[in-house]
Amino acid sequence: MPDVLLIGNNLSVLVAAAELGAAGRQVVLVTDGRPAGGHFRGLRLEGIDIDIGMVLLEQGGDPLSSGAVPELAGYRPRVRYDWTRFGPLVDDWLRAQVDMVRTPTPEVVMDGRRWPDHLIADRLDVLASGELTAPQPLPRTDPRHAAAKVDSSAYDTMTYAEAAELNHGVDVQRRLITPFAEKLLGSAHSALLARYHRSAWLPLYWPETVTAAVQGRPPGLTEHPFWTTASGFVGDLVHSLERRVAGFDRVTVDGTEVDSVTPVDGRWEVRTKGGGRWVAAAPVVGLGPARVQSLLGLPTSEREPGASVVAVCCLVRGAAIIHPAGCLSVVDPAYTTYRLTDQDALAGLDPQWHRVVVEAGPAAAARMAAGEDVEAALVAELARLLGVDGSVDGDVRALKTLTARNAVAVPTVGSLAADAEAHDALQDAWPSAVLTGNLLGFGATSMNDQVVQGLAAAQQLR
């Protein structure tokens, strides 16, 4: 019987496997027939490593020597942004896994013009264009003020559309942000809860900040920085962890599908279709909710649909790119595309062929389902955004088009209630399990949240 049993393929269990292996524990990792690392693993197409859309690294604090970090046991997955309390720990851990480089400032496209990004990078240059109206004043004591979004009960039910128009003003919100939200989320954008705005890469600034920017005064924000790996492929993090895990004699990886999960004498027995039989008292679980419910014979909870995504993974001849961009969010409604990511430009690389992914939302997915050639349309938009001469054959090669139904979760009042009910039922049925990833709720699936979860699980079971 292993010291620790890890079940699933998300990033959390892979982090835990690497940390427990380094501590000399006997570990079994059962990936349920799926590649380890989940979404963060990326793809390998024609021998080329490509991240699936925009995948960036974030750092959360100064090096560990600068101050105390809370105990990992105190991590609160249902509190938005709780990983930031452990920022210095996450920073040091990431730097130990991969070589990191800071990316250029992300940009946005509006009305055919590029600006520094105001959606994710906190660059509010576009607000000082002289054409926008500031929001109405809102006292800091008002529970609807953006400063209260984490703790105020008003944010338990307030939608992003309501909170953003109140804090940003109708003019700023509808011109600079809503077109992007509509492209990304479709009709679901109006139901997204404000507290979860970052799940859709949407900002929620204080009204005082927006007013200062509109009036041309310093808004009091510094640019939010992002990093990538030296190779430009963030999936290197997953591959680095896999290599670490493979180097430990006391870590076994069972890559076959789970066949059954059964309670036996106060412990849990996991059998796999490859013939594995593993027993543990407190397994760490990193599977999806529906998969766990199926294995345990629980009713499958119906989650509200999310936003579907179409992503076209391309190679673009570097010499043909006239208007380079690392990360480009497209607010301009003239485009179906909502984001373009050149992972080589993000890393400061200029190879002969750049790895570029262009993404579009539910409208594109619906058109694709209806039989339209959406890939060609998105490739044409990619060429237009990068200034590639569309008349030259061979400058852009589409390697693969992915369609992911409900890929972007849209937290709503109803979905959070259903999620909490399913979580409670799971804990009742599997009380000893250490849950990770989306088994902990909507706010616990970011890369850094999963790093914290993996480190916490390893510390608990070490």
Side-chain angles (χ1 to χ4, degrees):
M1 184 177 70
D3 296 329
V4 182
L5 176 60
L6 308 167
I7 310 167
N9 74 315
N10 70 11
L11 183 61
S12 301
V13 294
L14 187 58
V15 170
E19 295 302 308
L20 289 164
R25 302 289 280 171
Q26 184 174 347
V27 178
V28 171
L29 170 60
V30 178
T31 67
D32 195 30
R34 296 171 171 84
H39 168 77
F40 300 113
R41 183 183 187 87
L43 297 172
R44 190 164 183 80
L45 303 173
E46 298 184 15
I48 297 165
D49 292 321
I50 297 183
D51 290 314
I52 304 173
M54 183 189 75
V55 183
L56 299 173
L57 300 173
E58 291 185 84
Q59 296 194 13
D62 297 324
L64 283 175
S65 59
S66 66
V69 175
E71 289 293 327
L72 284 164
Y75 169 69
R76 302 166 297 176
R78 290 188 174 273
V79 175
R80 292 292 287 147
Y81 318 111
D82 197 50
W83 76 262
T84 58
R85 294 193 301 123
F86 307 90
L89 180 64
V90 174
D91 295 351
D92 278 22
W93 185 86
L94 282 173
R95 284 192 288 263
Q97 312 308 314
V98 290
D99 293 329
M100 298 169 60
V101 295
R102 184 168 171 176
T103 71
T105 300
E107 297 177 292
V108 298
V109 173
M110 290 185 49
D111 300 325
R113 179 178 174 183
R114 289 193 189 184
W115 296 86
D117 182 278
H118 62 278
L119 297 173
I120 61 173
D122 295 343
R123 285 289 299 271
L124 303 185
D125 309 50
V126 66
L127 274 69
S129 62
E131 302 173 354
L132 296 164
T133 302
Q136 294 295 314
L138 186 66
R140 283 284 305 276
T141 54
D142 192 309
R144 302 169 298 170
H145 192 286
K149 66 183 179 182
V150 173
D151 300 316
S152 170
S153 60
Y155 277 85
D156 292 344
T157 57
M158 194 185 320
T159 67
Y160 175 72
E162 295 167 338
E165 291 200 352
L166 189 66
N167 285 273
H168 298 163
V170 172
D171 189 33
V172 169
Q173 181 65 21
R174 293 187 181 180
R175 293 174 63 181
L176 302 189
I177 301 169
T178 298
F180 179 84
E182 290 176 339
K183 282 201 281 187
L184 173 62
L185 300 178
S187 60
H189 85 279
S190 61
L192 172 70
L193 283 176
R195 183 172 285 148
Y196 296 86
H197 62 99
R198 278 301 182 190
S199 67
W201 306 288
L202 299 169
L204 187 58
Y205 296 113
W206 292 9
E208 300 93 327
T209 301
V210 175
T211 297
V214 168
Q215 294 175 352
R217 296 184 284 113
L221 286 178
T222 57
E223 179 177 327
H224 185 82
F226 294 95
W227 281 261
T228 186
T229 63
S231 71
F233 176 53
V234 176
D236 277 341
L237 172 62
V238 171
H239 295 292
S240 172
L241 290 172
E242 283 188 313
R243 289 191 294 272
R244 284 185 62 195
V245 167
F248 298 127
D249 293 338
R250 290 172 60 82
V251 178
T252 299
V253 178
D254 183 338
T256 59
E257 185 179 342
V258 175
D259 191 48
S260 64
V261 175
T262 312
V264 177
D265 298 329
R267 299 178 182 275
W268 290 89
E269 179 185 87
V270 175
R271 291 180 180 267
T272 67
K273 293 188 175 179
R277 176 182 174 274
W278 315 106
V279 179
V284 180
V285 186
L287 298 167
R291 178 63 172 145
V292 174
Q293 289 164 344
S294 173
L295 288 169
L296 295 180
L298 298 174
T300 302
S301 56
E302 292 294 330
R303 306 191 82 175
E304 294 185 17
S308 297
V309 173
V310 177
V312 185
C313 303
C314 300
L315 292 178
V316 182
R317 194 184 307 275
I321 298 174
I322 305 302
H323 307 302
C327 178
L328 186 64
S329 294
V330 186
V331 178
D332 197 326
Y335 293 87
T336 300
T337 299
Y338 68 74
R339 184 180 292 117
L340 178 151
T341 306
D342 181 337
Q343 64 190 70
D344 289 295
L346 284 173
L349 305 174
D350 187 20
Q352 181 180 2
W353 291 94
H354 285 228
R355 297 163 291 181
V356 181
V357 178
V358 60
E359 300 172 74
R367 286 167 48 197
M368 198 163 179
E372 290 189 38
D373 189 357
V374 173
E375 178 184 287
L378 293 180
V379 167
E381 290 192 355
L382 177 156
R384 181 179 169 193
L385 289 165
L386 294 180
V388 176
D389 187 348
S391 66
V392 179
D393 290 336
D395 282 342
V396 181
R397 290 179 52 210
L399 298 179
K400 189 177 184 66
T401 296
L402 307 170
T403 303
R405 294 184 65 252
N406 303 323
V408 181
V410 183
T412 66
V413 172
S415 64
L416 288 182
D419 186 64
E421 182 179 351
H423 178 268
D424 291 344
L426 174 56
Q427 287 210 310
D428 288 342
W430 207 351
S432 63
V434 178
L435 307 181
T436 66
N438 55 10
L439 293 175
L440 294 172
F442 285 106
T445 57
S446 75
M447 175 180 287
N448 286 358
D449 272 291
Q450 291 198 49
V451 169
V452 172
Q453 292 159 25
L455 295 176
Q459 184 180 85
Q460 177 183 340
L461 299 170
R462 186 173 286 132

